[in-house]
Amino acid sequence: MHALQAIIGFLLSSFIIALGLTQGLAWRLGDLGRGVRQPAFKRGLLVSLVAVPVLSVLVAKVLPLQPVAAGVIALMAFCPGLPMALNVVSHEKGNLSLTLALSVTLSLIAILAMPLSLALLGRLFPVSIQPPPHGVLLAKVILPFLVPFLLGIGLQKLSPLWARRLLKPAKLFFNVALGAAALLMIFAGIPMLKDLQFWGFVAMFVVTLGSAAMGHVAGRPRPQDSTALAISAVFGNPAFAFALGGSTYPMKSLLGIMGLYLLVRTVALLPYQIWNKRHQKAERGGGTSLPSGRRAHA
């Protein structure tokens, strides 16, 4: 068990560094400028920074949840920034430049506002969330993200060719490390997962689908913007949440539920993805969802 905890700790520290480097290497002023200038960008910030945290806190307070489940749902909502969303948005034919702008902007806001966010969460969920000292937060989360982020921007300026070559392996390492950490945390937290109540799963599904719905509505009238904002609202930044959960006790008790939440969130998003594909086809076909024969006859 000690070896497993050591591996989890190494992965937690590694993918925060990989996240900062990946975001820095992806920092292209042209792409970011196009995304920031779009009207849906501000609406996306409001959904991710305000609407999703408010929904998560309300669900965690209203439903009869265990303290650990309530703390995980709230903590994940207060860690926006969507490093994995670009692949999903691309697959769903969403607005990539808007997603990139939201990803980088939300990650920076989350890391800079983290002391304030944790102080608020500590008051709302004192049993499960106790903010680490500022020194621990700075050493384990903030600097490991910001330093590689700035290095990535510097490399992007000095040698765009090498930055593009390094971006793909950095993203691959981040995704593999994150997935491995999530699975190991679920395995290590199996005793606690057995006690997770039915309402915990209900809350995770409600927050996931509610976040996607708010993002989709905020992205109207363009289907590509709706897709980008819906995915951005759901795919918060588990890297920040994992690093925080592994920073101090008792927050370490959250790790197993965090890994499970990633899996539940992926499954809970499937109904929206299926509906959205049909909705996009209907939009491209003239805004109706009639069967092909009836549409041709009309």
Side-chain angles (χ1 to χ4, degrees):
M1 185 60 69
H2 291 293
L4 181 60
Q5 292 176 347
I7 294 173
I8 293 175
F10 170 75
L11 291 173
L12 291 177
S13 59
S14 297
F15 63 54
I16 281 287
I17 297 172
L19 172 63
L21 182 61
T22 300
Q23 297 287 58
L25 293 173
W27 181 279
R28 296 184 181 89
L29 287 178
D31 294 337
L32 289 174
R34 283 192 293 273
V36 169
R37 287 192 297 269
Q38 298 180 37
F41 175 76
K42 293 180 181 179
R43 300 197 297 270
L45 290 182
L46 286 175
V47 169
S48 295
L49 295 175
V50 179
V52 172
V54 169
L55 171 66
S56 301
V57 170
L58 287 177
V59 169
K61 288 293 186 181
V62 171
L63 294 182
L65 303 180
Q66 295 171 298
V68 173
V72 165
I73 290 172
L75 182 60
M76 295 283 270
F78 276 75
C79 292
L82 36 147
M84 298 174 295
L86 285 169
N87 292 335
V88 180
V89 170
S90 176
H91 182 265
E92 298 292 323
K93 297 180 173 60
N95 188 330
L96 283 176
S97 62
L98 176 61
T99 308
L100 175 63
L102 284 171
S103 175
V104 176
T105 305
L106 287 172
S107 294
L108 285 175
I109 292 175
I111 202 74
L112 296 175
M114 197 167 285
L116 181 61
S117 300
L118 287 174
L120 176 60
L121 286 174
R123 290 180 175 273
L124 292 173
F125 303 94
V127 176
S128 55
I129 297 179
Q130 294 183 14
H134 290 305
V136 174
L137 185 62
L138 185 68
K140 290 194 173 184
V141 185
I142 296 178
L143 287 180
F145 172 83
L146 286 180
V147 172
F149 177 76
L150 294 175
L151 289 175
I153 292 178
L155 183 59
Q156 178 71 239
K157 295 292 184 182
L158 293 174
S159 178
L161 177 61
W162 279 103
R164 287 194 296 271
R165 290 178 177 176
L166 186 58
L167 178 58
K168 188 173 182 178
K171 288 173 61 177
L172 178 63
F173 176 80
F174 171 81
N175 290 328
V176 171
L178 181 62
L183 292 176
L184 289 175
M185 285 188 294
I186 293 175
F187 178 77
I190 284 177
M192 183 176 295
L193 298 180
K194 292 179 180 178
D195 297 329
L196 185 63
Q197 298 173 351
F198 167 77
W199 287 110
F201 291 99
V202 171
M204 293 176 184
F205 270 82
V206 169
V207 170
T208 300
L209 291 177
S211 301
M214 291 188 296
H216 187 90
V217 171
R220 289 178 176 175
R222 297 182 59 194
Q224 297 90 343
D225 294 350
S226 292
T227 300
L229 295 195
I231 301 300
S232 300
V234 172
F235 276 73
N237 200 325
F240 292 156
F242 285 176
L244 290 170
S247 59
T248 60
Y249 185 87
M251 290 179 70
K252 288 184 179 179
S253 62
L254 306 179
L255 289 176
I257 307 297
M258 285 182 186
L260 178 66
Y261 190 13
L262 286 185
L263 296 179
V264 173
R265 192 171 67 180
T266 301
V267 174
L269 189 62
L270 289 177
Y272 168 77
Q273 291 176 297
I274 295 172
W275 173 85
N276 189 47
K277 287 181 179 179
R278 294 177 178 175
H279 180 69
Q280 286 187 353
K281 289 181 180 179
E283 289 287 331
R284 290 193 295 269
T288 61
S289 55
L290 293 173
S292 58
R294 290 179 60 189
R295 187 163 60 240
H297 176 73

